[in-house]
Each structure stands twice: as structure tokens, then as C-alpha cells.
Amino acid sequence: MERAPLIGEPFAFQWHITDVCDQRCKHCYLYAEDVARRSSEMSWSQIERTFARILEFCEAFGRRPYFYLTGGDPILHPDFWRLLALVHEGGYGVTVMGNPFHLTEDSVARMRDLGVLRYQLSLDGLEATHDWFRKPGSFRATLEAIGRLKAGGIRAIVMTTVSAANADEIPELVDVVVEAGADVFAFSRYCPTSEDKDVGIAPARYRELLAASDERFSWHEAHGAETYFNKKDHLWTLYDYETGAFSLDDQPDDELVHGGCHCGDCHLTITSEGDVMACRRVAGSVVGNVFEERLEDLWLGPFEHFRELGAFEKCASCELLRFCRGCPAVAMGTSGSFYAPDPQCWKAAEPVSASEPMPA
């Protein structure tokens, strides 16, 4: 029986259809701890089952799916184009997150015809730094891919992972991205893959980075840049609050969450092995497996662990609790606790016990 089109507010699914990749990035959460890790990918029958589970979930909650197809490099999956056709047939939005190496004029045109709206690439510093993180030639290949995507009618998104290794290069990288014609630029912090690693940036230094980046954003906006600067890191909310760009007076007067981390809110991640996670960057956030369990049951069950606002050790006493909360993935990777203070948060706030209720 033909399924009626799904309507409602979008719900994001970050779907890793494969771990196969032609890079071995030093900060990759898949291979950073085990470079010899064997790659996995979904079979077509598993893809069909996952797709059906996603639609059932959205029907149950009155939502419309939005797909972020990624990997590894999703284009390397043998059924990548078949899956795009399936998503396109349903009329659902899709962004692809992958590498630049297979973006030919033909592949870009084919993705556009199958409904791909955006393609996300990575630039992790200027050329020497980026190629050190990823592999020689990756920087130039990415810049060329930006132009190829735009010429083919797909919006080019550039994402940067920030750490001590590239933090000083970010303002200049903004200039590079604008010159290349990227449609969107954003950065988030390196997510430690184990507790003996960290981002390597002191809180005050990170605030300085946000200020320097904001200055570059404003300069380019004033000079007509078409690039949209997405303030993705949740600590941007704190920075904008301090500078007056964000005001609590302009926000709804209720107790609902209106910003910050989306774990347990409006997105989930599915890995190539079918594991369902609150966030791919949050180590230990697997709540079940899509091949064996209904997403609705997981959403109303183990996902509740990521919705305990009063459990945030520092944020629960902060007036920005419903709008910021920093990055729990970075906190988890640094300290082992999802609800620990964000290690780059510079705001003075009294930590609270996880057993204390959230203030009214």
C-alpha cells in the first residue's frame, strides 16, 4: 500500500550507512583509537528496514524526516544512489556529509537530480594543517569541490573541527572559505575519544577565538559575503549573551528548551551497525539497535537519560540552561560524564549536585 506523505516539524536522522572511507583523519571518532578497525556498512535489506523504522517513528510522532547521510564516505556505499532514490521518491530532504574526492560534475548533477540540497565538507585548518589531519591533497580537493557543488546547484557547507592544533588558524580560514564561495561555514570543537584526551584550549582562549571569529564574520557580512556563518557551537549563545546579541528578554517566558544540545530532542544517530545513539559524538550514548527495536520505544525509554536538565552539574544553576548547556559530547569525552561542565565554558556558575532539582 502506498504510504501517505509525512508532514509536520522536521526530525533529523544522522544516518551512517558505511564506515568505509578513503581518509584516516587523526581526530576521527571511528578510527582514532583503532586505526586497524574493520569497516562495516549496512546491507540493502538493512537499509530498507532502517528506512521503514524511521518512517514509522515519524508517523507515530507526527514528524517529517530529514536525512543526513554520512559515513565514512557515503558515496562509497554500493547502494548510495539507490538509497537517494528511495528518499527522493518519498519527497524527503537530504544533506550528504562526505569527502571531496568523488564529487565529479556527473556525480554532483546526479545528487542534485535525486534531491540532495546540501553537501557538507570539512576544512580543519589551513592547507598544511588540514592535510596533516586528513591526507595530502585533501585541502585543495575540498576547495575545488566547493566550486563544483555550487556550479551543480547544491549548497556547499564547510565544517571545521577546532582543537589546539588549528585554533589560531580559524579567523584566516574564514577568509579562505568566503573566497572559495562556501554557502555555509561553521565550526565545533574536537570531541575527545577518551578521557586522556581533551580539546586543548583553555576557556578564556576559546572565548578569544569566538570573538576573533565573530569579528571576521561581521567584516565579511559588511562587505557583502554570501556565506552564512552558522554559530553552531552552543557556547556561541553564551558569547552572544555577554555581547548583547542574545537577550533573555526576547525569549519565550516558559520552561521549555529553546536551544542548545539536541540530544533527546529533535535528532538521533544511526550507525552502520544499526546502533541508535543520542549523538555520534557522545561516546557511550548507544540506546539500542534499529534492526531489533522500534525507534518509538527507544525514544520514550532510554532516550530519557539525555533529557534530565536538572542533572547538568554546572548549567542547572545558569540562567542560560534552556538555551545553551555547552557541548555534552565534549564534556563526556573529557570527563566521562554527559552532565559534567563543558570544559571550555568560561562563565562563572556554582556547580550543583546532580540530585538537586532544576530551579523553577
Side-chain angles (χ1 to χ4, degrees):
M1 182 176 70
E2 186 175 348
R3 187 186 297 269
L6 292 172
I7 59 175
E9 291 296 315
F11 190 101
F13 296 87
Q14 183 175 324
W15 188 356
H16 296 251
I17 59 175
T18 182
D19 287 349
V20 176
C21 188
D22 36 23
Q23 296 189 109
R24 282 294 181 271
C25 305
K26 291 178 173 61
H27 52 339
C28 178
Y29 41 65
L30 293 175
Y31 298 99
E33 301 295 330
D34 182 6
V35 294
R37 177 182 181 274
R38 183 167 182 164
S39 299
S40 63
E41 63 184 20
M42 287 192 179
S43 66
W44 177 247
S45 62
Q46 289 172 330
I47 286 176
E48 286 186 307
R49 183 170 182 79
T50 301
F51 187 72
R53 295 272 195 183
I54 288 172
L55 297 190
E56 289 170 359
F57 174 89
C58 289
E59 285 179 342
F61 294 108
R63 305 296 287 269
R64 181 177 75 256
Y66 190 96
F67 294 92
Y68 291 86
L69 299 183
T70 186
D73 191 350
I75 202 171
L76 296 177
H77 192 290
D79 291 312
F80 171 71
W81 300 105
R82 195 176 179 187
L83 175 56
L84 277 187
L86 185 64
V87 172
H88 184 55
E89 182 181 355
Y92 308 122
V94 58
T95 292
V96 177
M97 305 158 69
N99 292 333
F101 309 114
H102 307 284
L103 294 179
T104 64
E105 289 185 11
D106 289 342
S107 65
V108 169
R110 191 175 179 187
M111 280 192 281
R112 179 200 62 218
D113 292 343
L114 288 173
V116 174
L117 304 174
R118 306 171 186 86
Y119 193 103
Q120 180 174 303
L121 298 155
S122 295
L123 280 176
D124 293 317
L126 301 177
E127 185 168 6
T129 301
H130 174 89
D131 285 358
W132 173 80
F133 269 120
R134 293 178 177 266
K135 73 176 186 180
S138 177
F139 183 85
R140 293 187 179 275
T142 300
L143 294 183
E144 292 170 1
I146 291 171
R148 200 168 295 126
L149 287 164
K150 290 176 63 66
I154 296 177
R155 289 174 62 80
I157 301 173
V158 174
M159 184 70 187
T160 297
T161 299
V162 175
S163 67
N166 63 5
D168 292 339
E169 300 180 5
I170 301 305
E172 187 175 349
L173 183 62
V174 173
D175 301 340
V176 172
V177 168
V178 171
E179 184 178 356
D183 293 289
V184 180
F185 172 74
F187 61 76
S188 61
R189 284 163 286 158
Y190 163 66
C191 187
T193 52
S194 62
E195 292 179 38
D196 63 345
K197 298 180 179 180
D198 59 42
V199 178
I201 306 176
R205 174 68 186 94
Y206 192 62
R207 191 189 188 285
E208 291 174 359
L209 170 60
L210 296 186
S213 299
D214 199 35
E215 182 179 352
R216 298 311 298 159
F217 296 168
S218 297
W219 189 92
H220 283 293
E221 288 170 345
H223 288 77
E226 296 181 358
T227 303
Y228 171 70
F229 301 108
N230 179 13
K231 293 183 173 181
K232 182 179 176 67
D233 191 315
H234 306 311
L235 289 181
W236 274 112
T237 300
L238 171 57
Y239 175 82
D240 285 343
Y241 179 62
E242 293 180 343
T243 61
F246 176 88
S247 173
L248 291 175
D249 293 337
D250 299 330
Q251 305 306 315
D253 184 18
D254 56 34
E255 295 185 359
L256 301 177
V257 171
H258 292 282
C261 176
H262 293 309
C263 282
D265 179 18
C266 59
H267 89 102
L268 58 80
T269 295
I270 301 173
T271 73
S272 60
E273 296 175 335
D275 288 335
V276 179
M277 305 181 71
C279 173
R280 190 61 187 86
R281 288 160 48 90
V282 178
S285 70
V286 176
V287 297
N289 191 282
V290 72
F291 303 149
E292 303 167 0
E293 299 161 276
R294 294 174 359 126
L295 293 177
E296 303 95 294
D297 296 335
L298 298 177
W299 192 250
L300 297 176
F303 264 101
E304 289 292 340
H305 169 71
F306 303 98
R307 303 183 183 123
E308 301 172 11
L309 290 189
F312 281 97
E313 297 172 16
K314 178 180 178 181
C315 303
S317 63
C318 179
E319 68 270 29
L320 296 177
L321 173 65
R322 297 183 297 121
F323 308 96
C324 177
R325 301 183 302 288
C327 182
V330 176
M332 181 79 174
T334 304
S335 68
S337 171
F338 182 84
Y339 291 106
D342 184 312
Q344 274 70 55
C345 178
W346 61 88
K347 189 175 189 297
E350 291 296 326
V352 298
S353 168
S355 63
E356 292 184 30
M358 183 180 69

